[in-house]
Amino acid sequence: MQSRKRDHMTITHRAARRTRVLTALAVGAALTATLAACSSDSDDGGSASAPSGETSADSALAQEITTLEQPLDAFPVPTDKVDGVADLAGGTIYYVPITSRAPQFAITQAEITVAAKAAGLKVQACDGKGTPTDISACITQATHAKAVGIVLDGLAYDMAANAIEGAQKAGVPVVISNQMTDERHPATETFSNVGTAGSPQMIALAKWIMFDSGGKANVLINEATDGASQIAYVEAAVDEFTKDCPDCTVTVNKVSSASFDQIPSSTSSALLKNPDIDYVISEFAEFLQPTAQGVQQASAKVTMTTAASALSTLKELKGGATLQAATAQAAGYQGWVDVDAILRLHAGQDVPEYEVPTRLFTPDTLDGVELTSDAEQTGAWFGPATYTDDFTALWGVN
């Protein structure tokens, strides 16, 4: 087995140093712009050069990462009003996540409940447990209960196609959330997809690793194989490495919610086969702990990153022991979007293409971020959480 090029302490110090470079570059860019605007003597029209020791590509990537780390000025709420919301009062929306293990889904469930209550509705949650049998049973239960609608979170249509089609035939609207649109299953009067933030999160982690490693990373990605979308998110990251980091190497290790207990041994095996790996991406935060167990089993010295983060993830990130970068999406906002989509299907109105905000976090950028359950649930990590009033105004229930 080859010896490691760096120990973990070196990697951690490098990550902190390069994160500080991001800030310096951002400040430098702002100063350059100010000086250029104030100067009346220069007429050469040339562009500013990259800071000493940094290539223009490094500088551009640093600026991208700085942007990924910033909150929004406002959440992207639709503008078209929804008709007939009051007519649904007292009904129930069923929320079916692919697995309740995912902390992200717990946040979405909490905010679906708040949003539904604002619209005069109730929510019934049913754990899909990562298996087609359990998912189908949840959908069938909702159909028999004559639900106002069914929100399926993080699972593919094909995992429960018969049950989904049965619900639609019974007049129960179905929304698949957090999945890419499947051309084989286009939107209908009773079915729609709601936007996914999977690929942007994975691409953000790829960019951070490229910069942090100086363009020479050996990366292991634990890819969830629970559906085509989860695989596509990883492919987006791999494509990013291929395009912009020729000296990076990426190994993909396949894991799944249904085989959760096998993730530690699977991760350990992948690391032992590839001893030069120095970065690990866990595609979802629910896989982070078993992935870390696999790292320990292999006695590997790596920098950990993860997507789909929750409060516990960011608290671990702030400690900065091993986890060095994490992305998250506004899972609470997603809950309001899901309810909005169900209401629009009931009204016979077009369902818009929602955008779910994401953000990149590192230990150095968590200062000023309120690491509380309330901030996580409302989406305050991503921007001003005033979108709830915007949605209720659209629904006519303010």
Side-chain angles (χ1 to χ4, degrees), residues 91-346:
T92 301
I93 293 176
Y94 272 69
Y95 176 65
V96 185
I98 187 171
T99 171
S100 61
R101 290 180 184 272
Q104 173 184 308
F105 296 149
I107 300 305
T108 301
Q109 179 183 328
E111 282 302 295
I112 278 185
T113 303
V114 174
K117 183 178 180 181
L121 303 169
K122 298 173 291 185
V123 170
Q124 174 67 51
C126 188
D127 186 2
K129 299 179 182 177
T131 72
T133 300
D134 287 288
I135 293 165
S136 295
C138 288
I139 297 169
T140 300
Q141 178 185 342
T143 303
H144 289 165
K146 298 181 180 179
V148 166
I150 303 170
V151 175
L152 306 176
D153 203 343
L155 59 95
Y157 193 108
D158 290 341
M159 291 189 77
N162 290 337
I164 292 172
E165 288 161 10
Q168 293 182 72
K169 288 178 182 177
V172 179
V174 178
V175 166
I176 292 183
S177 187
N178 271 316
Q179 291 286 279
M180 299 177 72
T181 300
D182 187 339
E183 294 181 354
R184 297 171 304 156
H185 306 292
T188 69
E189 293 180 354
T190 53
F191 172 74
S192 182
N193 275 90
V194 164
T196 173
S199 292
Q201 291 187 75
M202 293 296 289
I203 290 171
L205 289 177
K207 289 180 181 295
W208 183 85
I209 288 172
M210 283 188 284
F211 188 83
D212 185 67
S213 68
K216 296 180 180 179
N218 284 287
V219 186
L220 174 68
I221 303 178
N222 266 1
E223 173 192 87
T225 58
D226 298 310
S229 290
Q230 289 88 332
I231 295 170
Y233 305 155
V234 171
E235 289 176 349
V238 173
D239 289 346
E240 194 72 17
F241 281 114
T242 301
K243 175 169 64 79
D244 292 333
C245 194
D247 292 329
C248 290
T249 302
V250 181
T251 300
V252 175
N253 182 47
K254 298 183 181 297
V255 299
S256 73
S257 298
S259 302
F260 192 84
D261 294 342
Q262 298 176 21
I263 294 175
S265 60
S266 175
T267 303
S268 175
S269 177
L271 290 168
L272 292 172
K273 289 178 182 177
N274 301 276
D276 286 333
I277 288 171
D278 48 12
Y279 288 85
V280 174
I281 300 176
S282 175
E283 185 176 8
F284 297 103
E286 67 263 32
F287 297 148
L288 181 59
Q289 182 178 2
T291 296
Q293 290 174 358
V295 170
Q296 292 175 346
Q297 290 175 8
S299 298
K301 296 179 175 62
V302 301
T303 294
M304 298 284 294
T305 69
T306 188
S309 299
L311 176 60
S312 58
T313 320
L314 294 193
K315 285 183 175 180
E316 181 178 348
L317 177 66
K318 189 169 185 177
T322 302
L323 188 64
Q324 286 294 313
T327 54
Q329 70 185 70
Y333 173 77
Q334 182 101 33
W336 285 77
V337 163
D338 292 339
V339 172
D340 187 71
I342 291 291
L343 297 178
R344 290 178 189 275
L345 286 174
H346 257 289

Side-chain angles (χ1 to χ4, degrees), residues 35-103:
L35 291 173
C38 294
S39 174
S40 59
D41 298 329
S42 175
D43 58 1
D44 62 326
S47 60
S49 60
S52 177
E54 298 288 337
T55 67
S56 59
D58 275 340
S59 180
L61 183 56
Q63 294 294 344
E64 283 190 75
I65 294 171
T66 298
T67 299
L68 292 168
E69 293 172 339
Q70 303 307 308
L72 298 171
D73 293 329
F75 281 78
V77 177
T79 56
D80 293 339
K81 293 187 176 182
V82 186
D83 301 325
V85 174
D87 298 337
L88 303 174
T92 301
I93 293 176
Y94 272 69
Y95 176 65
V96 185
I98 187 171
T99 171
S100 61
R101 290 180 184 272

